[in-house]
Amino acid sequence: MVLNKAGREIPQEYADQYGVYEGELARIKPYEAASRKIKPVEPRQEKLLGSIREAIEKTGLKDGMTISFHHHFREGDYVIIKNGVITNITSSGLRDKLGAAISSGIMENPVVIRSHGGRARAITAGDIHIDVAFLGAPSSDEYGNINGTKGKATCGSLGYAMIDAKYADQVVAITDSLVPYPNTPISIPQTDVDYVVVVDEIGDPKGIAKGATRFTKNPKELLIAEYASKVITGSPYYKEGFSFQTGTGGASLAATRFIREAMIKDGIKASFVLGGITNSMCELLEEGLVEKVIDVQDFDHPSAISLANNANHYEIDASMYANPLSKGSVINRLDVAILSALEVDTDFNVNVMTGSDGVIRGASGGHCDTAFASKMSMVISPLVRGRIPTFVESVNTVITPGTSVDVVVTEIGIAINPNRQDLIEHFKGLDVPQYTIKELQEKAYSIVGNPEPIQYGDKVVAVIEYRDGSIIDVVRNV
């Protein structure tokens, strides 16, 4: 075993293969970008094929190759292939039956979990080489110009798919809306696409927003949102031209509403909002409270419509969003990021991957990316969920190291990381109760008792990469 800087023991074989987490900036160094094989298309050569089977034959797909799918359709996806031939998975997260099956040890090899920025880094650096990318395309012309704002199953931004298209050896666009050439605006250009296949349906737009965005009337969540907005508007970053990113949960969306009210009252406008975009963000743009929406993924249909119609709603790829080895990702310009948590421990480490039973049920997403890059990262979470403490002595799985977390917000008050003495001093007069992180953990345990330790097996079912490619934690079978 090797002890990494997050205090986690990493089995020697994975430490040797990936290296272990040594700090947020330890591996941010110059590198050579990956290359890909390109098969030129000659004049009058057609790209349009009759079926996915024909596309598989044309690409020469065979055992041992790596294929990719993007996840902009989320739970509405009809494109991903499920037939038992997958032996290795790399993903941002795993939910429901798939997460439970993998947690039980169904895969021979562990899943590799990467953040959004970490996945972009892995592709551009060549850690992942994609042989064939199968991209669900809401609309495409017969030469492979794709966008996500037209068609029967619009998903908006194709920010994650763009990276696959740029670096995969071969790209197959699968669409249910073939439009005349040239299909504009162009999110993914014909120069990145080898073949086009038309099918009856690529996805259900209703599944894009399922479970992701919800407005809350829960008093506990509303109180968390109110405290979060007070922290933001009372911070040194709240001024004309500030920038922020919020999540999609009930408390995050409510916090956006509170921030909106404060901005109107104070006459302050934001320069940009970022991330997975919801209608709440688009409404701020329409009201003139935000100058730009920078969009790597949309979480509801109104956001996709906004991307299509508003020139100040701008689509970016995942590398520009959060790649730590890029020449400057947009998250580096963030003032404030609001993030969620399944667990937070007394070192401010955050788990958004495994539940209280140790089963994989979440996603790394952009959590560790934005937490480190933003000037003030805020993690919002109730003190307990049901009979389960959210604040614990040690999280099950570290996704974001505590050194990247500045403030945590609960329904009873906040805790500021001792590393941020500047914020502790600045917030002395803030009208929000303040505690130490240890006090929050003790209050959680006083309500529901000490949690029983999880009984893990010896098999590693998932390897958790930090955004730089090092191993910050592993998940064992339950």
Side-chain angles (χ1 to χ4, degrees), residues 39-60:
K39 187 166 58 177
V41 175
E42 300 170 0
R44 293 170 293 282
Q45 185 177 332
E46 298 297 326
K47 294 185 180 182
L48 195 61
L49 303 179
S51 66
I52 293 176
R53 171 176 282 278
E54 186 181 357
I56 290 171
E57 292 170 351
K58 287 275 191 182
T59 57

Side-chain angles (χ1 to χ4, degrees), residues 385-406:
R385 288 188 177 92
R387 296 284 303 166
I388 300 167
T390 303
F391 288 80
V392 295
E393 291 178 350
S394 179
V395 294
N396 289 331
T397 309
V398 176
I399 295 296
T400 297
T403 48
S404 294
V405 176
D406 298 318

Side-chain angles (χ1 to χ4, degrees), residues 3 10 15 43 58 66 72 142 191 204 216 250 253-254 278 286 308 322 333 363 366 374 392 402 413 426 476:
L3 190 68
I10 308 301
K58 287 275 191 182
T66 297
H72 291 93
E142 61 184 14
T191 47
D204 176 7
T216 185
L253 293 175
T278 63
E286 295 293 336
R333 307 293 295 176
S374 60
V392 295
H426 184 85
R476 290 178 171 83

Side-chain angles (χ1 to χ4, degrees), residues 324-466:
L325 295 188
S326 72
K327 294 184 179 181
S329 51
V330 181
I331 58 172
N332 294 353
R333 307 293 295 176
L334 267 180
D335 288 315
V336 179
I338 298 180
L339 303 162
S340 60
L342 291 174
E343 292 179 318
V344 184
D345 69 22
T346 51
D347 289 321
F348 285 84
N349 296 313
V350 179
N351 168 26
V352 288
M353 180 57 55
T354 52
S356 59
D357 53 2
V359 174
I360 298 170
R361 61 177 75 255
S364 178
H367 204 286
C368 67
D369 299 310
T370 50
F372 176 62
S374 60
K375 292 176 184 173
M376 185 175 73
S377 62
M378 300 172 55
V379 171
I380 61 173
S381 177
L383 202 63
V384 300
R385 288 188 177 92
R387 296 284 303 166
I388 300 167
T390 303
F391 288 80
V392 295
E393 291 178 350
S394 179
V395 294
N396 289 331
T397 309
V398 176
I399 295 296
T400 297
T403 48
S404 294
V405 176
D406 298 318
V407 185
V408 296
V409 183
T410 75
E411 73 276 18
I412 68 166
I414 67 172
I416 304 171
N417 194 320
N419 293 341
R420 293 300 306 267
Q421 287 298 315
D422 59 325
L423 292 181
I424 290 173
E425 183 66 27
H426 184 85
F427 286 132
K428 275 185 176 177
L430 187 69
D431 182 27
V432 175
Q434 298 187 35
Y435 302 90
T436 67
I437 192 73
K438 181 65 177 174
E439 286 172 334
L440 291 181
Q441 174 259 309
E442 289 171 346
K443 285 181 179 293
Y445 283 21
S446 71
I447 296 169
V448 295
N450 292 22
E452 290 290 326
I454 298 168
Q455 299 301 311
Y456 288 106
D458 296 325
K459 182 177 181 179
V460 173
V461 297
V463 173
I464 310 296
E465 277 194 8
Y466 186 61

